[in-house]
Amino acid sequence: MDSAAKDKIQPRLLPGSSCPRPEWPEQERAEQLARGAALKWASGIFYRPEQLTRLGQYRSREVQRNYSLEARIKSAVQSYLEGVQTGVWQLTQALEAVQGTREALRQAHHLLQGLSQTSQTLEPMRECVVQHKQLQILTQLLPRLQAVPAAVAHTQTLIDAQRFLEAYVNLRELEQLQEETWTPLGGLELPIFQELGLLAEALGQAVEAAAGAAGRLAREDPTLLVAAIRVAEVETERTILGQAPRDWRQRCLRALQEGLEQLHFASPVLPEPGALSGWLEALQVALPAELATAEALVAPCCPPSYHVVRLWAHTLHSGLRRSLQQLLSGPELGAADTFALLHWALHVYMGKEMMGNLELGPEADVSQLEPLLTSENIEQLEAAFVAQVQVSVAQWLKKALDGEVAEWSREQEPTTDPSGFYHSPMPAIVLQILAENIQVTSLISDSLHRRVHDMAVSELGAFLRSFSDSLIRFSRDHLRGEAVAPHYVPYLLAAFNHQSALRSSVSVLLPDGETSGVLAPVEAALDDVERRICRLVLEVLQAELQPLFAALPSRRWLLSSELLDSVYEQTLHFCKDFWRVRKPAVQLLLTETERTVVLHYLRALMQGRLVCRGADERSQAAERLQHDAAQLKELFLGLGLEESAHCAPVLLALRELLNLHDPTLLGLEVAGLRQQFPDVSEDHVSALLDLRGDVSREHRQAALSSLQAGPPPSPSTGRRALFSLVPTPTPSLSSCLPSGPCS
């Protein structure tokens, strides 16, 4: 490559610079990319030696390309310069046009300043023209304006006479005259029209008063009511120049509501205690009559858009609801008032006699009414009612109990019924008090019924506990001699009948559909009272039998039945009035009496007062046990005790133990005794073996060992405890076994 070609390829440097400096960064970057592409192309072309022969061709091609690029650049620059020249010429033309416009605006501004000064000189004339026009209009209206005061007075007279349509026509004519003078006078209000606002308000108040008495007017003067409603409707749809719209329709609707509330619920004095029921009964008559009046008389006098029947129903409901809330926020209601309010609000009010009346059309829309009492109100009333009824029931039950307790100290025996059983009205009174309170609350709600039932069961349990406590005090005072009752045992037996009567009739307290399990606490309390009465009766019997069993067993007992005959006679005399006790209580009483006699018998045997001195005395003792068991069986069968409940057969089991001739077989007898009476202990067996008087230490040890080693007692025996209630004397050291209680 020659030096001329290299000069054409290399870019020219600016004077004073040591390296080329592009005029902008993009140029520098483009130059770098071009150099890199040229180097890459040259290295690819001249990489092989055979390509060097074509170097001249490449040089000629590149020279032609450079010439072509220079020609294109010159053409583009020439085109750009021509566009710039055209733009400069256009800007020059625009500048000349702007300067011309500015000069024209300056001249127009001078002309407008001159016109403003001329207009100011004409302003007084313009005002004179306006005043002239106003005076011309007033001159034309002067006859009518002079009649305004008289028209206002006449209109007021019509309002006072309740001639609403005529008064309204006059009012509109006056207001129309006011509008005719309003615009020409530029909004200036003449003094003669100042009373129109008061006149319109007077008419509005008269219309509102007529709407408030809609019920009375519908019956007495429906024309007046219709006129008032028509005036309100027409005035509502009219627009008055320069005044806010008069919404007399809403005023009428409010007056209708307020009139109803004033008529029925305006009295600030709430019903006196006990008078709430009468107040509700009066409403029960008045409210349906008011709704009937609204449907038959008021509704035809009003537009359909008033929905008079629905308005009446909802207004009466709201007023009543508000009055009841005020009533509940005051002093607590009594039980009778609370019951009356709950029954009336929950059943009567929405029933067929009132808001649920089938004759009341669907327009009333009573389904959209809120509940008269909220759930909180109902909860509050039910809780208060239950608390008050509980206090009242407790007082009545206490009064009944006090009356019954006072009877126990009488000189006369308890009263009997025609069948001869002891009888008292107290159980019937108690159940009647409780049942009536439960039954009457079923008319209110299930929740109140359940609450009162639970309260009644609770109060009956408390009554039974009080009854039991009274029996204890009665017995204690009698036994201490502080207040001796002439007929102590008969009144205890009468108390048995009281509990039987309560038990047989307590099912009346059971709610429908409930199981008897809800009365389990009452049943348990009755069982406790019966057991207490039975224990008090038997304490008297024990005191009478104690001296008789003191001589048993003895030689006299072996030789004669005199001792048990005394027991027989004493027990028979004691039980002579048991027949006056009703079943099943008499069976319980006889069972416990027979068990008491047998327990005394066993206690006497276990005291070690007698030791048989030979086989003859053992035979006599066995025969005596057999005879006594038969005599006791005869006694209690005669008194009516069922044979399956007898405890006397235990004496026959003891007879077998005494009558055994071979001491080596005592183990079998003892094991059999334990099978029949699982509560027999080693001490009891030892006492019985001591009574035999012929048992050696070895035989005794064998018999007691069989008591422990024998098979367990059968669970189906069903016998009540006997031996566990019989104390035994402390055995002597000589008779103690290694495994016995003394070891």
Side-chain angles (χ1 to χ4, degrees):
M1 184 180 297
D2 56 3
S3 60
K6 289 183 180 179
D7 292 340
K8 292 182 179 180
I9 296 175
Q10 293 294 333
R12 295 181 179 272
L13 298 177
L14 296 175
S17 45
S18 58
C19 61
R21 295 290 184 181
E23 296 181 0
W24 53 80
E26 290 79 4
Q27 180 182 359
E28 180 181 0
R29 186 169 179 271
E31 184 176 352
Q32 291 176 356
L33 291 175
R35 288 179 178 276
L39 290 174
K40 184 177 180 182
W41 175 80
S43 62
I45 292 297
F46 303 110
Y47 180 74
R48 289 175 294 182
E50 59 269 17
Q51 296 290 342
L52 296 177
T53 60
R54 302 174 61 184
L55 182 60
Q57 297 177 5
Y58 290 128
R59 182 182 297 114
S60 300
R61 187 184 304 168
E62 290 302 320
V63 170
Q64 292 176 0
R65 181 180 299 174
N66 288 339
Y67 289 155
S68 175
L69 289 175
E70 288 176 357
R72 292 170 63 186
I73 291 172
K74 288 179 181 180
S75 177
V77 170
Q78 184 65 30
S79 176
Y80 175 75
L81 291 176
E82 290 176 357
V84 171
Q85 184 178 4
T86 302
V88 170
W89 179 81
Q90 290 176 349
L91 288 176
T92 303
Q93 295 296 323
L95 178 60
E96 293 176 355
V98 170
Q99 289 175 350
T101 303
R102 181 182 299 171
E103 181 63 25
L105 289 175
R106 184 169 56 252
Q107 294 174 2
H109 180 66
H110 291 307
L111 293 175
L112 288 175
Q113 287 181 346
L115 290 176
S116 177
Q117 294 174 358
T118 305
S119 176
Q120 291 177 359
T121 60
L122 295 176
E123 187 65 31
M125 184 178 294
R126 185 183 295 110
E127 293 178 359
C128 290
V129 172
V130 172
Q131 292 176 1
H132 175 73
K133 289 182 179 179
Q134 292 176 350
L135 290 174
Q136 184 180 8
I137 293 173
L138 290 176
T139 302
Q140 295 174 356
L141 297 176
L142 184 59
R144 297 172 61 188
L145 293 175
Q146 289 176 343
V148 167
V152 170
H154 179 63
T155 304
Q156 183 63 52
T157 302
L158 293 175
I159 293 172
D160 296 338
Q162 294 185 334
R163 296 163 63 180
F164 296 142
L165 292 177
E166 299 177 42
Y168 183 65
V169 170
N170 290 351
L171 178 62
R172 289 197 61 171
E173 291 177 353
L174 291 171
E175 290 178 343
Q176 184 177 0
L177 178 59
Q178 184 184 23
E179 291 179 3
E180 292 176 3
T181 62
W182 179 279
T183 302
L185 296 179
L188 178 64
E189 183 177 353
L190 296 178
I192 59 175
F193 293 116
Q194 290 180 353
E195 295 184 4
L196 287 186
L198 299 176
L199 188 65
E201 181 60 26
L203 179 58
Q205 291 178 357
V207 169
E208 187 175 355
R216 178 179 59 82
L217 291 179
R219 289 188 295 269
E220 300 175 0
D221 191 0
T223 304
L224 179 59
L225 177 59
V226 171
I229 297 298
R230 287 182 62 186
V231 168
E233 284 296 304
V234 174
E235 183 62 22
T236 298
E237 298 174 358
R238 190 166 68 95
T239 303
I240 304 174
L241 184 63
Q243 297 184 17
R246 298 172 185 160
D247 196 356
W248 285 8
R249 177 188 297 162
Q250 291 301 321
R251 290 181 66 175
C252 280
L253 291 174
R254 285 196 300 269
L256 289 172
Q257 295 175 322
E258 293 172 359
L260 276 176
E261 293 183 358
Q262 288 290 329
L263 180 62
H264 296 286
F265 310 111
S267 176
V269 181
L270 297 176
E272 295 292 333
L276 181 61
S277 179
W279 183 66
L280 295 175
E281 290 177 359
L283 289 177
Q284 186 174 344
V285 175
L287 298 188
E290 194 68 51
L291 289 173
T293 300
E295 187 173 15
L297 301 178
V298 181
C301 299
C302 300
S305 60
Y306 277 41
H307 302 291
V308 170
V309 180
R310 182 174 65 185
L311 178 67
W312 245 244
H314 285 242
T315 301
L316 292 174
H317 179 78
S318 299
L320 178 58
R321 196 168 186 266
R322 198 159 42 246
S323 296
L324 292 182
Q325 293 300 322
Q326 182 182 0
L327 179 68
L328 295 179
S329 63
E332 187 177 53
L333 300 177
D337 287 343
T338 302
F339 179 85
L341 178 56
L342 283 171
H343 181 261
W344 193 86
L346 297 179
H347 300 283
V348 176
Y349 180 68
M350 294 303 293
K352 295 181 179 180
E353 298 179 1
M354 293 192 67
M355 306 305 284
N357 193 337
L358 297 178
E359 297 180 0
L360 193 61
E363 186 184 355
D365 197 16
V366 295
S367 61
Q368 300 300 321
L369 297 178
E370 293 180 327
L372 199 59
L373 296 175
T374 65
S375 57
E376 292 78 8
N377 295 148
I378 296 174
E379 173 70 21
Q380 172 188 351
L381 288 172
E382 288 186 355
F385 177 78
V386 172
Q388 292 168 350
V389 170
Q390 185 170 10
V391 172
S392 177
V393 166
Q395 293 174 351
W396 277 103
L397 294 182
K398 184 178 184 304
K399 184 178 179 181
L401 179 59
D402 292 342
E404 181 66 23
V405 172
E407 295 284 323
W408 294 346
S409 300
R410 293 194 314 166
E411 295 292 336
Q412 296 82 13
E413 290 189 357
T415 306
T416 58
D417 61 11
S419 300
F421 297 109
Y422 288 136
H423 171 74
S424 171
M426 185 195 69
I429 293 173
V430 170
L431 290 176
Q432 182 180 2
I433 292 172
L434 299 177
E436 286 180 353
N437 282 282
I438 293 175
Q439 183 178 3
V440 75
T441 54
S442 63
L443 302 174
I444 304 298
S445 64
D446 293 339
S447 61
L448 183 61
H449 189 224
R450 167 58 60 188
R451 286 184 172 190
V452 174
H453 172 267
D454 294 342
M455 178 276 296
V457 171
S458 174
E459 286 301 314
L460 182 56
F463 170 80
L464 292 175
R465 290 190 293 272
S466 299
F467 187 86
S468 179
D469 295 339
S470 298
L471 284 173
I472 293 174
R473 289 192 296 270
F474 173 63
S475 175
R476 180 189 60 201
D477 295 342
H478 173 77
L479 296 178
R480 291 180 179 178
E482 297 176 0
V484 177
H487 302 284
Y488 174 70
V489 173
Y491 276 103
L492 291 178
L493 298 179
F496 251 121
N497 280 347
H498 302 342
Q499 305 310 305
S500 297
L502 286 174
R503 187 185 297 276
S504 62
S505 303
V506 75
S507 59
V508 300
L509 305 181
L510 194 65
D512 295 338
E514 293 285 347
T515 61
S516 58
V518 298
L519 298 177
V522 175
E523 298 286 351
L526 287 170
D527 292 340
D528 292 340
V529 174
E530 285 187 349
R531 285 193 294 268
R532 188 176 296 279
I533 297 173
C534 187
R535 186 164 64 250
L536 294 177
V537 172
L538 295 180
E539 284 177 357
V540 179
L541 177 62
Q542 291 174 6
E544 295 180 0
L545 295 180
Q546 193 79 29
L548 301 179
F549 280 102
L552 188 150
S554 61
R555 300 280 185 259
R556 178 185 171 192
W557 169 71
L558 288 176
L559 300 175
S560 172
S561 63
E562 180 182 355
L563 290 178
L564 196 67
D565 290 343
S566 300
V567 172
Y568 183 98
E569 295 296 333
Q570 188 66 35
T571 304
L572 182 63
H573 179 267
F574 183 82
C575 299
K576 63 182 178 64
D577 291 329
F578 280 14
W579 70 274
R580 297 185 182 276
V581 179
R582 291 183 178 274
K583 292 182 178 181
V586 66
Q587 287 297 316
L588 171 64
L589 190 58
L590 288 173
T591 299
E592 293 301 323
T593 301
E594 192 253 2
R595 185 163 172 264
T596 299
V597 173
V598 172
L599 285 175
H600 273 281
Y601 198 107
L602 293 177
R603 289 192 186 100
L605 287 179
M606 298 299 168
Q607 295 304 312
R609 300 192 187 108
L610 176 67
V611 176
C612 295
R613 293 178 293 192
D616 293 340
E617 287 190 354
R618 285 193 294 276
S619 298
Q620 290 177 354
E623 291 176 1
R624 180 55 53 200
L625 286 174
Q626 182 177 6
H627 178 270
D628 293 349
Q631 196 169 4
L632 291 177
K633 179 179 180 180
E634 177 187 355
L635 169 64
F636 286 99
L637 284 177
L639 291 174
L641 179 62
E642 297 176 358
E643 186 173 359
S644 60
H646 284 208
C647 296
V650 68
L651 302 182
L652 299 179
L654 300 183
R655 169 189 175 277
E656 296 298 329
L657 189 64
L658 292 177
N659 200 35
L660 187 66
H661 296 289
D662 187 359
T664 59
L665 301 178
L666 285 175
L668 295 176
E669 286 296 332
V670 169
L673 182 65
R674 182 170 181 268
Q675 282 292 320
Q676 296 183 55
F677 304 97
D679 60 335
V680 67
S681 67
E682 293 183 357
D683 292 339
H684 296 121
V685 173
S686 295
L688 293 173
L689 296 180
D690 289 340
L691 178 61
R692 282 180 58 91
D694 66 336
V695 181
S696 64
R697 185 181 182 89
E698 292 76 10
H699 291 158
R700 179 187 298 270
Q701 183 175 359
L704 295 178
S705 299
S706 66
L707 186 68
Q708 300 295 333
S714 174
S716 61
T717 55
R719 294 185 180 274
R720 297 181 59 188
L722 281 176
F723 287 97
S724 60
L725 301 177
V726 178
T728 56
T730 303
S732 61
L733 293 177
S734 60
S735 63
C736 287
L737 298 176
S739 60
C742 298
S743 60

